[in-house]
Structures are given as C-alpha cells and as structure tokens.
Amino acid sequence: MPVNAALNWDQIQREATDILSRYIRLDTSNPPGGESKAVEFLARLLAGDGIESRTYQSAPGRDNLVARLRSSDTQSPPLLLLHHMDVVAANPQLWSKPPFDGLIRDGHVWGRGAIDDKGLGAIHLMAMLLLKRAAVPLKRDLIFMAVADEEEGGSLGTRWMLDNQPAEVQCEYVWDEGGVGSVGITGNRPVFTISVQEKRSVVVRLKAYGRGGHGSVASGGPLDRLVRALHGIQGFAGDVRFNSVTRRFFEQLAETQTSLAGWIMRHPEAPVSGSILRRQLRKVHTLNAMLRDTVTVTVVQAGVNSNVAPDEAEAVLDVRLLPDTPLEDFLQRLNRAINDESIEVTATDSPPSPPPSSTDTAMFQAMRRAVLTQVPEALVASMQTPVATDSRFFRERGINAYGLIPVVLTPEELGSIHGVDERISVQGLVQGIKIALDVLLDMCT
Ligand SMILES: [Zn+2]
C-alpha cells in the first residue's frame, strides 16, 4: 500500500507508545470505571487532528465516545472500530512495575490495559489518525468508538449505546477484541485468531441457609453444606462439543501441526481422537475452555467470627456456556453434581446466542490479507472465543463483528491479560497499527 509504505514509522512508533503510556496512566479500573477522563483524553487527541467526537454519558463518570471520518459516498455502510476504556483491577503488590504508570521499559509498554483493551484502542486510534492525515477520499464512514463498562457486562457501554444511540453506531462491520496473534501455543508459527462467535456468560449463585451455632459444637451447618457442594463441582466441566466454528478452527489449526496431530485436529470427533485430544486439552486451557461448558468458583462468603458457625453461606460461580448449551440442561447437570437439594441454586438469565459472524465477508478477508501482508508466515483462523466481549451486542442485531488484537503476543504477554505485569511490546504495537491501517485502506478507500 503506497500510503502505508511512505510513512515515517519511527515517528509513529514514538507517538503510539506515548499515547498508550498516557492512556494507561488514567486509572479506569471497573468498578468504578470512571471512563470520563479517558473520553476527554481521546477527544483531545482526535481534535488535534481535526476529528470531531461526541460524548454520551450513560451514568455519572461513565462516558462513551464516538468519532467519525465521513465519506461523501453513502452507498457503503460504516466500519466501526470498537474498544473499551475500562480495565480490570490490578494489585500493585504482585506487579514488578506499577500497573498505572505506563512505564516504557525493555521494549514494552507496561500497565493494566496495555493489551486489553487500551492497546487495541491505541492501535485503532493511530490507524484512524494516519488515515485522516493521508487525506484520501473514503468510500465509507469510519467510526471510532470507545466504550465504558465492558468488563462488568457492558450495560453502561456498548449495550447502552446500541439501545440509546442506535443511529450513531449503525454500521456494516465491527472490529473488536476477542482474538489475538500468538506464538508458541501450538508450535512456533504465528497464529492469528479472529473471533466470530463467543461463549455465553452466566453467573450462578449457590446459597445455603440454616442454623449455625457455637463454633465449639456446631457442625453440618450451612457453610459445611456449601463446602460439600463446592467439592461436588470441583473439576465439573461439560463434555467436549464441537460446532461449525470450532470444527473449522481445528481444521485451520491443523496446518500448524505434524501429521498425527494434524489428522486429529482435522478429525476431532473421530473415536480414536477422543482420548488424545482430551489429554492435550488439559495442557492448553484456552482451547479446553473453547470446547466445553466451564465453571469457576470466584466468590465465597460466609461467617464473621472465628467461634460462630454462620447461618448462611454463599458461593458465586462464573459459568461459561457453549453457544448451543441450554441453560436448563446445564443447571440440571450442576444440581446433580451438587447433590444436595437444600442448596439454593439461582442463575442470571440465559444470554442469547446469535449466529456467528460470517467469514465470507469483505471485512474478514481484509483482516486476513492485512495480517498476511505484515506477517507472511502466519496462519489466520476464525474461532470461538471463550471470553465474553461487546461483539455479542452487535451480533444480536445481525451485524458482523470480528475480534482481533492484531499483535503477535508471546505466551507470557498473553498470560498477563487480566493477570500480573500486563505489557505489550513496542514492536507489537507498531505491527498492530500497520495491520489496522492496511485493513482501513482496504475497506474504506
Ligand atoms: Zn477486553
């Protein structure tokens, strides 16, 4: 691409690194979020290049931003770049660098959100600024959208925007988070996964009531029963189940494997594949989570005094269902594993399961081409992400949404997402901007 090739990438690297570093310094841990300061920051950067943006407040301190590069051609509907400004909490005691200083060290930008999702935001923003500076006529509108509240369900962010400002975010394609580039998980060839479908998140609460009593004599009370119930669901996971997206994902991934592993990936449901596949899945948690219903105990609450057995006890389970698992069936299986009718089991509503976004679109192909231009040895595969993203709100409305942070991450960098020492390499950041700019040039000019 001529525009792309003529750019001063050293300067872009400095600018992008600086933007991401400053973005990380705005602590938007959710709760409480406080994304308004991030909106002000992004709006200023956009205005610096003459791009107007609008702010939509869903609650005090919770702002969302939409900026648009307009096309004079109204034939093609817009392409929307989406990222979330909020981040999950970080415990500074566990980190080797302060999580909200945005330090640039050892070729990396460090801090909470460096990858998820301020990293993607910086990539989208930089690509949009470069497109604006190139002053080329656009054949469709390009929308940059920064939302609040993704990490806590999106009801004040993407969902709120789609419900309250549908015209502002109407588009043909969405580029969101969900997949990444990685290396070292299934061999040394870089693999870029583009998410086209996701699992559904359900919160399940287990409650035990009854009589506690003096700690010296009471036993078999609510907390004891809850502990037994939790013991019953240890290791609870649904069977491995494939659907059209995961079958296709394995078929594509087979290319990176030697003959036996490749055969198994192409025939994952063959009887001989079963036990080998299950053994492998135990080692690769992300693949395992992609193919089963999963349950993780995330909160347990009971008791105040060391010498009083509590009258009630509660546990919260983070449940992730495959797109085609009926919630009722899952709850029946869970109840069987708990095997105690006195435990009250309640679940949040079953989220809808929209069809996957098509891979047979100009946008998916543009993303694929752009990745292969920048990383020719890569494999690009569509996949089902085990995490929930804002893409689901667009898919529910029939809009194709694609999830990709377009950067090759090492297993350590990948593990730092929602973990300790989150960081993105400066080189990766630039790679992401090059891929994003290629996609925008392809789709919008
Ligand atoms: Zn995220």
Side-chain angles (χ1 to χ4, degrees):
M1 296 279 175
V3 174
N4 195 336
L7 294 168
N8 180 344
W9 284 100
D10 287 340
Q11 199 182 321
I12 294 164
Q13 173 177 318
R14 275 193 299 276
E15 184 178 357
T17 309
D18 177 63
I19 287 174
L20 179 57
S21 163
R22 282 156 61 207
Y23 198 0
I24 290 168
R25 271 178 257 162
L26 306 169
D27 183 350
T28 47
S29 299
N30 185 14
E35 295 90 348
S36 300
K37 52 188 177 287
V39 163
E40 279 170 35
F41 168 74
L42 295 171
R44 255 200 317 275
L45 287 170
L46 288 158
D49 271 282
I51 303 171
E52 254 180 67
S53 57
R54 297 176 82 166
T55 301
Y56 301 92
Q57 188 162 77
S58 52
R62 315 301 299 273
D63 283 325
N64 300 281
L65 172 139
V66 176
R68 190 183 283 260
L69 287 187
R70 284 189 194 281
S71 159
S72 51
D73 182 349
T74 51
Q75 293 294 309
S76 304
L79 162 61
L80 187 147
L81 305 174
L82 174 66
H83 83 281
H84 61 87
M85 297 172 283
D86 61 320
V87 295
V88 292
N91 178 355
Q93 265 138 20
L94 300 175
W95 284 53
S96 72
K97 314 263 187 301
F100 297 102
D101 280 7
L103 286 183
I104 303 161
R105 292 267 193 299
D106 313 322
H108 284 74
V109 185
W110 298 70
R112 177 58 84 224
I115 302 171
D116 175 19
D117 198 19
K118 290 174 174 171
L120 181 62
I123 287 168
H124 281 167
L125 177 73
M126 209 57 232
M128 187 178 192
L129 295 180
L130 292 171
L131 193 63
K132 174 74 166 49
R133 288 171 199 169
V136 281
L138 302 185
K139 70 175 185 200
R140 65 168 86 226
D141 280 12
L142 176 66
I143 302 173
F144 174 86
M145 180 175 174
V147 294
D149 201 34
E150 190 276 341
E151 297 290 2
E152 289 287 309
S155 59
L156 296 174
T158 296
R159 206 176 81 189
W160 188 91
M161 287 296 293
L162 280 161
D163 287 345
N164 292 281
Q165 299 291 339
E168 282 299 295
V169 296
Q170 189 54 46
C171 60
E172 184 170 17
Y173 301 116
V174 173
W175 181 344
D176 187 17
E177 62 180 343
V180 293
S182 67
V183 69
I185 294 174
T186 53
N188 287 323
R189 186 169 165 199
V191 176
F192 282 74
T193 53
I194 301 179
S195 165
V196 296
Q197 175 161 268
E198 61 192 47
K199 288 174 74 186
R200 298 133 65 218
S201 167
V202 177
V203 177
V204 174
R205 283 170 197 279
L206 309 185
K207 281 188 184 168
Y209 302 100
R211 189 177 293 204
H214 198 290
S216 64
V217 291
S219 73
L223 181 52
D224 285 337
R225 283 187 278 117
L226 183 72
V227 169
R228 242 192 334 267
L230 293 178
H231 187 71
I233 61 171
Q234 273 310 295
F236 179 93
D239 291 335
V240 169
R241 240 172 41 241
F242 285 86
N243 57 34
S244 62
V245 173
T246 48
R247 234 172 258 131
R248 177 83 191 106
F249 174 68
F250 269 69
E251 241 171 64
Q252 297 167 95
L253 212 60
E255 262 189 57
T256 65
Q257 300 299 308
T258 57
S259 53
L260 176 64
W263 190 90
I264 290 167
M265 286 182 148
R266 270 184 284 268
H267 306 89
E269 288 158 295
V272 293
S273 302
S275 64
I276 302 172
L277 186 68
R278 275 175 192 75
R279 218 173 316 135
Q280 287 304 316
L281 290 180
R282 251 173 260 144
K283 291 186 214 154
V284 190
H285 299 291
T286 46
L287 289 184
N288 185 55
M290 192 190 291
L291 300 175
R292 302 173 191 266
D293 301 322
T294 59
V295 176
T296 305
V297 184
T298 48
V299 180
V300 177
Q301 277 174 325
V304 180
N305 299 104
S306 66
N307 58 356
V308 179
D311 294 327
E312 57 178 85
E314 182 186 35
V316 180
L317 313 181
D318 180 347
V319 170
R320 307 293 172 126
L321 300 180
L322 293 172
D324 59 350
T325 300
L327 179 58
E328 281 311 308
D329 289 10
F330 170 82
L331 291 175
Q332 273 175 16
R333 280 187 280 134
L334 188 72
N335 272 309
R336 273 200 298 277
I338 291 170
N339 193 24
D340 179 350
E341 283 179 6
S342 77
I343 303 280
E344 181 188 292
V345 179
T346 55
T348 50
D349 285 344
S350 176
S353 189
S357 297
S358 170
T359 55
D360 194 15
T361 60
M363 179 65 184
F364 186 89
Q365 296 308 328
M367 292 173 88
R368 188 169 182 281
R369 262 196 309 276
V371 167
L372 292 177
T373 302
Q374 298 301 332
V375 191
E377 72 279 22
L379 175 84
V380 181
S382 51
M383 69 119 178
Q384 166 177 295
T385 174
V387 303
T389 70
D390 280 348
S391 290
R392 68 188 186 278
F393 302 119
F394 284 97
R395 292 196 190 111
E396 279 167 24
R397 286 160 175 81
I399 296 169
N400 282 310
Y402 301 102
L404 176 67
I405 294 178
V407 178
V408 177
L409 302 172
T410 63
E412 293 74 32
E413 288 162 348
L414 204 52
S416 74
I417 298 174
H418 284 215
V420 168
D421 285 342
E422 185 172 346
R423 59 199 183 275
I424 193 168
S425 72
V426 172
Q427 206 188 341
L429 192 61
V430 173
Q431 179 182 62
I433 296 164
K434 286 181 175 170
I435 291 170
L437 183 58
D438 271 0
V439 172
L440 300 191
L441 289 169
D442 200 337
M443 293 297 294
C444 301
T445 67

